Amino acid sequence: MDGILIVNKPAGMTSHDVVNRLRKILQTKKIGHTGTLDPQATGVLVVLVGKACKILQFLNDTDKTYRAGIQLGYATDTMDVFGTITQEKEVNLDFDFEEVLKSFQGKISQLVPMTSAKKIHGKKLMEYQRQNIEIEPIYQDVEIYSIRALNVQDLTFEVHCSSGTYVRSICYEFAKKTNNEGCMKSLERIRVGRFSIEQAQSLEEIEVLPRYYPIEDLLSHIPRIDMNDVQDVLHGKKLCISNQESNLVCIYHQQKPLAIYERVDGDLYASKRGLW
């Protein structure tokens, strides 16, 4: 089967664990996910199956929405409650939760956790941490589209953000802004692009009856070109396509995406990726 599965990832499994489990359930090796979710986090994991794996590089639904909780009183080496405590401090509650959250909204430069797989000088940050090698803090630009309080007593919130945002960094920096030490205590991803937690299936539900979404659901941002004669496409030949502003187009045949083409010069397009 080819298509997209929306998985409700349980806590305690890595994204790779989920993929391995699905390979056994669906009896296919052609499975991949569109974005890692922390092992202790739960929620939406978008999984590509079969031919759908070919569209990974063309995805643009990369914004995400999370529900998370903040733990005050101590900081850890992983910026979450599962790490080793590095700093402790008496909790200060003299702040307006909603107002402090709003200070994160917009385009910000965010501290990248040392547990990240982001590479610096050819090595992942997590590798520096494991080897006890100290490096200068790394920051990256992200955008927080919206952020709001869910429960003031539990310090839980919801955030809609761009790809590459680290919610644990928001929790850590929230603590610093309120004269506290703190870290992330919980994380649930409730949306990835157009897919929400309401659409997600547990692994047990997928084992009984997987619910696939068609590949074209993730290609709607690429202009569609319908063709009847697709012999040139099947042979990977260049096409002359006029009146197109986009540098990428998707060739459809019999209502199904057949190939992605990319502009090389003027109206001349070359095959970028076959989808058959």
Side-chain angles (χ1 to χ4, degrees):
M1 182 66 187
D2 306 306
I4 303 151
L5 288 175
I6 311 304
V7 181
N8 189 351
K9 189 190 87 65
M13 293 184 74
T14 68
S15 300
H16 188 64
D17 289 338
V18 172
V19 168
N20 281 341
R21 174 80 176 275
L22 288 172
R23 283 173 176 157
K24 293 177 182 178
I25 292 173
L26 304 174
Q27 297 184 336
T28 180
K29 293 183 178 180
K30 293 182 178 180
I31 299 180
H33 61 76
T34 68
T36 300
L37 193 55
D38 293 340
Q40 297 304 326
T42 63
V44 176
L45 184 69
V46 178
V47 175
L48 307 177
V49 182
K51 294 177 182 178
C53 293
K54 297 180 178 183
I55 69 173
L56 182 60
Q57 70 188 99
F58 304 108
L59 302 186
N60 78 334
D61 276 6
T62 55
D63 62 303
K64 299 173 177 67
T65 303
Y66 297 92
R67 289 179 184 147
I70 302 170
Q71 174 67 53
L72 296 181
Y74 59 90
T76 71
D77 58 352
T78 57
M79 293 186 182
D80 63 23
V81 294
F82 305 103
T84 301
I85 295 176
T86 56
Q87 297 286 339
E88 294 184 87
K89 189 175 183 178
E90 185 177 346
V91 175
N92 167 47
L93 294 177
D94 185 20
F95 58 80
D96 185 314
F97 186 38
E98 188 79 54
E99 286 301 312
V100 179
L101 287 176
K102 286 181 180 178
S103 70
F104 289 94
Q105 193 159 314
K107 295 181 179 180
I108 62 173
S109 182
Q110 185 182 62
L111 177 66
V112 179
M114 286 300 295
T115 53
S116 167
K118 185 178 180 66
K119 288 189 176 182
I120 302 297
H121 305 304
K123 184 183 292 188
K124 296 176 181 178
L125 286 181
M126 65 177 68
E127 293 174 347
Y128 286 105
Q129 185 182 55
R130 289 169 184 163
Q131 296 170 18
N132 293 316
I133 300 174
E134 291 190 10
I135 63 172
E136 289 294 317
I138 304 298
Y139 290 83
Q140 70 179 18
D141 294 334
V142 298
E143 186 168 3
I144 308 300
Y145 304 119
S146 66
I147 187 167
R148 65 185 181 94
L150 294 177
N151 188 301
V152 175
Q153 282 70 41
D154 289 343
L155 297 182
T156 56
F157 64 95
E158 182 176 298
V159 57
H160 177 207
C161 53
S162 64
S163 179
T165 301
Y166 294 97
V167 179
R168 66 184 60 216
S169 290
I170 294 177
C171 297
Y172 171 82
E173 291 169 359
F174 178 96
K176 293 299 183 184
K177 286 187 176 188
T178 58
N179 193 27
N180 281 290
E181 293 292 344
C183 57
M184 185 178 73
K185 68 179 177 183
S186 62
L187 183 67
E188 180 188 21
R189 189 156 68 191
I190 61 172
R191 181 174 289 275
V192 176
R194 71 194 67 188
F195 297 114
S196 70
I197 191 69
E198 288 76 22
Q199 296 169 280
Q201 293 181 284
S202 68
L203 289 170
E204 290 73 21
E205 288 172 329
I206 291 172
E207 195 162 10
V208 175
L209 183 63
R211 183 168 60 241
Y212 290 95
Y213 291 87
I215 296 172
E216 47 266 37
D217 277 7
L218 291 181
L219 293 175
S220 60
H221 61 289
I222 302 177
R224 170 174 174 164
I225 306 292
D226 287 284
M227 297 182 66
N228 292 321
D229 185 357
V230 292
Q231 286 304 307
D232 285 349
V233 176
L234 294 175
H235 288 91
K237 294 183 178 180
K238 293 179 181 179
L239 302 175
C240 184
I241 303 173
S242 58
N243 301 319
Q244 282 294 330
E245 295 183 1
S246 174
N247 288 325
L248 285 179
V249 296
C250 186
I251 307 300
Y252 276 70
H253 177 62
Q254 296 180 348
Q255 304 301 313
K256 293 294 182 182
L258 188 62
I260 305 291
Y261 268 68
E262 184 176 38
R263 189 194 309 274
V264 291
D265 184 31
D267 291 341
L268 189 63
Y269 285 73
S271 180
K272 180 78 172 176
R273 192 68 158 106
L275 304 176
W276 63 87

Short mmCIF file of all heavy atoms in Angstrom, two decimals, residues 4 55 58-61 193-195 214-225 246 248-250 252 257 260 275:
data_model
loop_
_atom_site.label_atom_id
_atom_site.label_comp_id
_atom_site.label_asym_id
_atom_site.label_seq_id
_atom_site.Cartn_x
_atom_site.Cartn_y
_atom_site.Cartn_z
N ILE A 4 -0.13 7.85 3.24
CA ILE A 4 0.33 8.55 4.43
C ILE A 4 -0.45 8.03 5.63
O ILE A 4 -1.68 7.95 5.60
CB ILE A 4 0.09 10.07 4.28
CG1 ILE A 4 0.82 10.58 3.02
CG2 ILE A 4 0.55 10.82 5.52
CD1 ILE A 4 0.15 11.78 2.40
N ILE A 55 8.09 11.59 -1.84
CA ILE A 55 7.69 13.00 -1.83
C ILE A 55 8.26 13.77 -0.64
O ILE A 55 8.00 14.96 -0.49
CB ILE A 55 6.15 13.14 -1.82
CG1 ILE A 55 5.56 12.66 -0.49
CG2 ILE A 55 5.54 12.40 -3.00
CD1 ILE A 55 4.08 12.94 -0.34
N PHE A 58 9.64 17.26 -1.00
CA PHE A 58 8.76 18.29 -1.54
C PHE A 58 7.71 18.78 -0.54
O PHE A 58 6.87 19.61 -0.87
CB PHE A 58 8.03 17.74 -2.78
CG PHE A 58 8.96 17.23 -3.84
CD1 PHE A 58 9.08 15.86 -4.07
CD2 PHE A 58 9.74 18.10 -4.58
CE1 PHE A 58 9.95 15.38 -5.04
CE2 PHE A 58 10.60 17.62 -5.56
CZ PHE A 58 10.71 16.26 -5.78
N LEU A 59 7.77 18.28 0.69
CA LEU A 59 6.76 18.66 1.68
C LEU A 59 6.94 20.11 2.11
O LEU A 59 8.05 20.59 2.28
CB LEU A 59 6.86 17.75 2.90
CG LEU A 59 6.70 16.25 2.66
CD1 LEU A 59 6.66 15.51 3.98
CD2 LEU A 59 5.45 15.95 1.86
N ASN A 60 5.82 20.80 2.29
CA ASN A 60 5.89 22.15 2.84
C ASN A 60 5.01 22.33 4.06
O ASN A 60 5.00 23.38 4.68
CB ASN A 60 5.52 23.20 1.78
CG ASN A 60 4.02 23.31 1.54
OD1 ASN A 60 3.29 22.36 1.78
ND2 ASN A 60 3.57 24.46 1.08
N ASP A 61 4.26 21.28 4.44
CA ASP A 61 3.45 21.32 5.66
C ASP A 61 4.35 20.98 6.85
O ASP A 61 4.32 19.87 7.38
CB ASP A 61 2.31 20.29 5.57
CG ASP A 61 1.12 20.84 4.81
OD1 ASP A 61 1.23 21.95 4.28
OD2 ASP A 61 0.10 20.16 4.75
N GLY A 193 1.33 20.33 10.12
CA GLY A 193 0.72 20.82 8.89
C GLY A 193 -0.78 20.70 8.95
O GLY A 193 -1.43 21.19 9.87
N ARG A 194 -1.36 19.99 8.00
CA ARG A 194 -2.82 19.85 7.93
C ARG A 194 -3.35 18.66 8.73
O ARG A 194 -4.57 18.47 8.84
CB ARG A 194 -3.25 19.69 6.48
CG ARG A 194 -2.88 18.35 5.85
CD ARG A 194 -3.01 18.39 4.36
NE ARG A 194 -2.01 19.27 3.78
CZ ARG A 194 -1.98 19.62 2.50
NH1 ARG A 194 -2.90 19.16 1.68
NH2 ARG A 194 -1.05 20.43 2.04
N PHE A 195 -2.46 17.86 9.31
CA PHE A 195 -2.89 16.66 10.01
C PHE A 195 -2.94 16.88 11.52
O PHE A 195 -1.98 17.36 12.12
CB PHE A 195 -1.96 15.49 9.69
CG PHE A 195 -1.96 15.10 8.24
CD1 PHE A 195 -0.83 15.25 7.45
CD2 PHE A 195 -3.10 14.57 7.67
CE1 PHE A 195 -0.83 14.89 6.12
CE2 PHE A 195 -3.12 14.20 6.32
CZ PHE A 195 -1.98 14.36 5.54
N PRO A 214 -4.13 9.83 0.85
CA PRO A 214 -3.45 9.77 -0.47
C PRO A 214 -2.24 10.69 -0.55
O PRO A 214 -2.18 11.73 0.12
CB PRO A 214 -4.55 10.21 -1.44
CG PRO A 214 -5.50 11.00 -0.63
CD PRO A 214 -5.49 10.40 0.74
N ILE A 215 -1.30 10.30 -1.40
CA ILE A 215 -0.07 11.07 -1.58
C ILE A 215 -0.36 12.50 -2.00
O ILE A 215 0.30 13.44 -1.56
CB ILE A 215 0.83 10.37 -2.64
CG1 ILE A 215 1.27 9.00 -2.13
CG2 ILE A 215 2.04 11.22 -2.98
CD1 ILE A 215 2.00 8.16 -3.17
N GLU A 216 -1.38 12.68 -2.84
CA GLU A 216 -1.68 14.02 -3.35
C GLU A 216 -2.08 15.00 -2.26
O GLU A 216 -2.03 16.22 -2.47
CB GLU A 216 -2.74 13.97 -4.45
CG GLU A 216 -3.95 13.13 -4.14
CD GLU A 216 -3.84 11.70 -4.66
OE1 GLU A 216 -2.73 11.13 -4.63
OE2 GLU A 216 -4.87 11.17 -5.10
N ASP A 217 -2.45 14.50 -1.08
CA ASP A 217 -2.79 15.40 0.03
C ASP A 217 -1.60 16.27 0.44
O ASP A 217 -1.79 17.36 0.95
CB ASP A 217 -3.26 14.59 1.25
CG ASP A 217 -4.73 14.21 1.16
OD1 ASP A 217 -5.34 14.46 0.10
OD2 ASP A 217 -5.27 13.67 2.13
N LEU A 218 -0.39 15.76 0.22
CA LEU A 218 0.81 16.51 0.59
C LEU A 218 1.47 17.19 -0.60
O LEU A 218 2.55 17.76 -0.47
CB LEU A 218 1.83 15.58 1.28
CG LEU A 218 1.42 15.07 2.66
CD1 LEU A 218 2.51 14.18 3.24
CD2 LEU A 218 1.13 16.23 3.62
N LEU A 219 0.81 17.14 -1.75
CA LEU A 219 1.37 17.76 -2.96
C LEU A 219 0.50 18.90 -3.49
O LEU A 219 0.77 19.44 -4.55
CB LEU A 219 1.55 16.72 -4.06
CG LEU A 219 2.60 15.64 -3.80
CD1 LEU A 219 2.57 14.60 -4.92
CD2 LEU A 219 4.00 16.24 -3.68
N SER A 220 -0.53 19.27 -2.74
CA SER A 220 -1.49 20.26 -3.24
C SER A 220 -0.87 21.65 -3.41
O SER A 220 -1.43 22.50 -4.10
CB SER A 220 -2.69 20.34 -2.30
OG SER A 220 -2.29 20.73 -1.00
N HIS A 221 0.30 21.90 -2.79
CA HIS A 221 0.95 23.21 -2.93
C HIS A 221 1.73 23.33 -4.24
O HIS A 221 2.18 24.42 -4.59
CB HIS A 221 1.90 23.45 -1.76
CG HIS A 221 3.02 22.44 -1.66
ND1 HIS A 221 2.79 21.13 -1.28
CD2 HIS A 221 4.35 22.53 -1.91
CE1 HIS A 221 3.95 20.49 -1.29
NE2 HIS A 221 4.90 21.30 -1.68
N ILE A 222 1.88 22.22 -4.98
CA ILE A 222 2.61 22.23 -6.25
C ILE A 222 1.59 22.26 -7.39
O ILE A 222 0.69 21.43 -7.43
CB ILE A 222 3.52 20.99 -6.38
CG1 ILE A 222 4.52 20.94 -5.22
CG2 ILE A 222 4.26 21.00 -7.72
CD1 ILE A 222 5.42 19.72 -5.23
N PRO A 223 1.72 23.22 -8.31
CA PRO A 223 0.77 23.30 -9.43
C PRO A 223 0.62 21.96 -10.16
O PRO A 223 1.61 21.27 -10.41
CB PRO A 223 1.39 24.37 -10.34
CG PRO A 223 2.15 25.24 -9.41
CD PRO A 223 2.72 24.31 -8.37
N ARG A 224 -0.61 21.65 -10.51
CA ARG A 224 -0.94 20.37 -11.12
C ARG A 224 -1.09 20.50 -12.62
O ARG A 224 -1.76 21.40 -13.12
CB ARG A 224 -2.23 19.84 -10.49
CG ARG A 224 -2.84 18.65 -11.17
CD ARG A 224 -4.03 18.16 -10.37
NE ARG A 224 -4.76 17.09 -11.05
CZ ARG A 224 -5.64 16.29 -10.45
NH1 ARG A 224 -5.89 16.46 -9.16
NH2 ARG A 224 -6.26 15.34 -11.13
N ILE A 225 -0.46 19.58 -13.35
CA ILE A 225 -0.59 19.50 -14.81
C ILE A 225 -1.14 18.13 -15.15
O ILE A 225 -0.50 17.10 -14.91
CB ILE A 225 0.78 19.69 -15.52
CG1 ILE A 225 1.46 20.98 -15.09
CG2 ILE A 225 0.58 19.64 -17.04
CD1 ILE A 225 0.78 22.23 -15.53
N SER A 246 5.44 28.80 -11.30
CA SER A 246 6.15 27.96 -10.35
C SER A 246 7.32 27.22 -11.00
O SER A 246 7.24 26.80 -12.15
CB SER A 246 5.20 26.93 -9.74
OG SER A 246 5.90 26.03 -8.91
N LEU A 248 8.34 24.41 -9.83
CA LEU A 248 7.99 22.99 -9.68
C LEU A 248 6.56 22.77 -10.14
O LEU A 248 5.68 23.58 -9.86
CB LEU A 248 8.11 22.55 -8.22
CG LEU A 248 9.50 22.32 -7.61
CD1 LEU A 248 9.35 21.90 -6.15
CD2 LEU A 248 10.29 21.27 -8.38
N VAL A 249 6.33 21.68 -10.86
CA VAL A 249 4.98 21.28 -11.24
C VAL A 249 4.85 19.78 -11.01
O VAL A 249 5.84 19.04 -11.01
CB VAL A 249 4.65 21.60 -12.72
CG1 VAL A 249 4.68 23.11 -12.96
CG2 VAL A 249 5.61 20.88 -13.67
N CYS A 250 3.63 19.35 -10.79
CA CYS A 250 3.36 17.92 -10.59
C CYS A 250 2.53 17.42 -11.76
O CYS A 250 1.44 17.94 -12.04
CB CYS A 250 2.64 17.68 -9.27
SG CYS A 250 2.43 15.93 -8.87
N TYR A 252 0.10 14.89 -13.46
CA TYR A 252 -0.91 13.92 -13.07
C TYR A 252 -1.38 13.13 -14.28
O TYR A 252 -1.44 13.66 -15.39
CB TYR A 252 -2.13 14.62 -12.45
CG TYR A 252 -1.99 14.95 -10.99
CD1 TYR A 252 -1.11 15.94 -10.56
CD2 TYR A 252 -2.74 14.27 -10.02
CE1 TYR A 252 -0.99 16.25 -9.22
CE2 TYR A 252 -2.63 14.59 -8.67
CZ TYR A 252 -1.75 15.57 -8.27
OH TYR A 252 -1.63 15.88 -6.94
N PRO A 257 -0.80 11.51 -9.09
CA PRO A 257 0.49 12.17 -9.34
C PRO A 257 1.49 11.18 -9.93
O PRO A 257 1.64 10.07 -9.44
CB PRO A 257 0.93 12.65 -7.95
CG PRO A 257 0.22 11.75 -7.00
CD PRO A 257 -1.09 11.39 -7.64
N ILE A 260 7.28 14.75 -10.46
CA ILE A 260 7.55 16.16 -10.16
C ILE A 260 8.57 16.65 -11.17
O ILE A 260 9.61 16.02 -11.39
CB ILE A 260 8.12 16.34 -8.74
CG1 ILE A 260 7.19 15.72 -7.69
CG2 ILE A 260 8.37 17.81 -8.45
CD1 ILE A 260 5.89 16.45 -7.51
N LEU A 275 7.11 9.36 -9.46
CA LEU A 275 6.31 8.91 -8.33
C LEU A 275 5.56 7.61 -8.61
O LEU A 275 4.76 7.17 -7.81
CB LEU A 275 5.28 10.00 -7.95
CG LEU A 275 5.86 11.39 -7.63
CD1 LEU A 275 4.73 12.38 -7.36
CD2 LEU A 275 6.81 11.31 -6.45
#
